[in-house]
């Protein structure tokens, strides 16, 4: 009976969010620059409201409120959800300082004789106790053939070490999945929005010295011989990150994009959390 009461109460809160948000001027995102953003699509308002309700429940250590957010079908199929909630409470101390959810990124749907199914998900960073965590949040917005599927389908919350582990993938099963530890001894950093394995190197790079070098030499091996190994890399994109001195207390990184022939074609500056480049340091002339 207690669970039913919590379910009705929590769903009522979400419904109030959605009823208030029927116009474009609705839910404020927790963006890095604290500016308001509004969402014209109902799915984004539903998604943001559910994410906010989840982290409010996590910060309150309210297991019943967390479970009440899941659809009946997800709860029916979830495995060990009580144990996963306890794992989450053990490694995520709260309160949540920043939640970078920004609506639905990945969508899917189908239609059968006018009956529709619509799903959506996104992964995003969450900051707690000045530590980065990463959440993958999946919802079923509409299922005309099975209304018990409508609601939160799965939530994954992991540490930065876990998401940077080799061959990591978010879970696809319904329910809650929490993980804080991964094999191996390595450091991580968030660079240009994305978490990466980070190798600390004692040095202080100078942007103007790098720019002058690239105006004369674009061979990546020559760059390494002059400035050293990168702090982080993404082999699939042939991009490499070099730590720069902080600026006004913010992290700065040089990103090099390299061709298959190991020629540098682009060098730009990013901070730790924003996807957009702060400055283009150097770019190869287009043929």
């Amino acid at each position: 009976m207690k669970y039913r009461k919590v379910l009705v109460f929590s769903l009522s809160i979400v419904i109030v969010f959605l009823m208030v948000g029927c116009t474009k001027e609705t839910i404020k995102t927790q963006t890095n620059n604290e500016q308001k953003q509004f969402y014209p699509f109902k799915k984004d308002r539903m998604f943001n409201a559910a994410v906010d309700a989840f982290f409010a429940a996590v910060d309150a250590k309210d297991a019943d409120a967390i479970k009440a957010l899941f659809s009946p079908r997800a709860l029916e199929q979830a495995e060990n959800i009580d144990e996963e909630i306890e794992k989450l409470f053990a490694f995520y101390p709260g309160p949540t300082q920043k939640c970078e959810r920004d609506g639905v990124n990945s969508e899917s749907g189908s239609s059968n004789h006018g009956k529709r199914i619509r799903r959506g998900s996104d992964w995003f960073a969450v900051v707690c106790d000045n530590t980065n965590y990463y959440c993958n949040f999946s919802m079923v917005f509409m299922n005309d053939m099975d209304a018990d599927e409508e609601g939160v389908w799965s939530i994954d919350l992991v540490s930065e070490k876990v998401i940077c582990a080799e061959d990591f993938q978010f879970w696809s099963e319904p329910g809650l999945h929490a993980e804080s530890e991964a094999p191996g001894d390595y450091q991580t950093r968030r660079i240009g929005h994305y978490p990466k394995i980070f190798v600390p190197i004692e040095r202080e790079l100078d942007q103007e010295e790098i720019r002058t070098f690239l105006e004369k030499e674009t061979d990546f091996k020559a760059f390494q011989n002059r400035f050293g190994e990168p702090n982080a890399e993404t082999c699939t994109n042939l991009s490499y990150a070099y730590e720069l001195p902080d600026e006004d207390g913010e992290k700065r990184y040089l990103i090099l994009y390299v061709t298959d022939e190991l020629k540098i074609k682009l060098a730009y500056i990013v901070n730790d959390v924003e996807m957009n480049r702060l400055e283009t340091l150097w770019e190869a002339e287009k043929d």
Side-chain angles (χ1 to χ4, degrees), residues 26-250:
T26 56
I27 299 167
K28 177 182 175 182
T29 60
Q30 300 174 30
T31 53
N32 298 328
N33 58 12
E34 299 299 329
Q35 292 179 352
K36 290 184 179 181
Q37 292 189 14
F38 301 109
Y39 294 89
F41 298 112
K42 182 179 178 180
K43 60 182 175 55
D44 293 320
R45 301 195 298 270
M46 292 176 67
F47 184 89
N48 288 340
V51 171
D52 288 345
F54 169 69
F55 281 99
V58 172
D59 290 345
K61 298 291 189 292
D62 191 335
D64 288 335
I66 291 174
K67 289 192 288 186
L69 291 170
F70 287 91
S71 70
R73 194 71 66 224
L75 284 177
E76 178 184 290
Q77 298 182 23
E79 294 184 4
N80 305 318
I81 191 168
D82 292 310
E83 290 83 351
E84 292 297 317
I85 290 174
E86 289 305 314
K87 282 171 56 179
L88 174 58
F89 288 166
F91 81 81
Y92 186 88
T96 302
Q97 294 169 279
K98 183 165 62 174
C99 175
E100 297 181 14
R101 85 287 183 277
D102 197 27
V104 179
N105 181 52
S106 177
E107 294 182 65
S108 63
S110 61
S111 179
N112 184 10
H113 299 290
K115 294 184 180 294
R116 294 184 296 168
I117 302 175
R118 292 185 63 193
R119 301 180 178 89
S121 65
D122 194 17
W123 73 270
F124 48 87
V126 184
V127 180
C128 172
D129 196 25
N130 296 316
T131 301
N132 293 324
Y133 299 84
Y134 299 87
C135 181
N136 189 56
F137 204 94
S138 174
M139 291 186 69
V140 177
F141 301 111
M142 175 189 296
N143 190 333
D144 292 336
M145 291 166 280
D146 185 1
D148 281 347
E149 266 200 5
E150 295 176 353
V152 176
W153 183 252
S154 66
I155 304 173
D156 308 332
L157 190 62
V158 300
S159 68
E160 192 163 84
K161 183 176 183 182
V162 169
I163 200 173
C164 288
E166 186 176 4
D167 299 326
F168 170 79
Q169 290 185 335
F170 285 115
W171 293 262
S172 58
E173 296 83 6
L176 178 71
H177 315 280
E179 197 64 55
S180 62
E181 293 298 329
D185 183 17
Y186 52 90
Q187 294 187 34
T188 63
R189 286 275 185 92
R190 198 172 172 208
I191 301 174
H193 183 73
Y194 295 103
K196 296 180 182 292
I197 292 176
F198 182 86
V199 179
I201 299 174
E202 287 292 331
R203 64 187 173 197
E204 187 164 315
L205 300 177
D206 181 87
Q207 294 183 34
E208 290 307 314
E209 185 179 354
I210 292 171
R211 192 199 311 270
T212 300
F213 178 91
L214 291 173
E215 288 173 351
K216 300 176 181 178
E217 176 63 76
T218 62
D219 183 77
F220 182 58
K221 291 296 184 184
F223 186 94
Q224 286 180 294
N225 290 336
R226 173 66 184 84
F227 297 102
E229 296 293 320
N231 297 98
E233 60 183 272
T234 305
C235 296
T236 54
N237 293 328
L238 288 177
S239 69
Y240 302 88
Y242 284 79
E243 184 178 23
L244 297 172
D246 292 357
E247 189 172 308
D248 297 326
E250 285 192 342

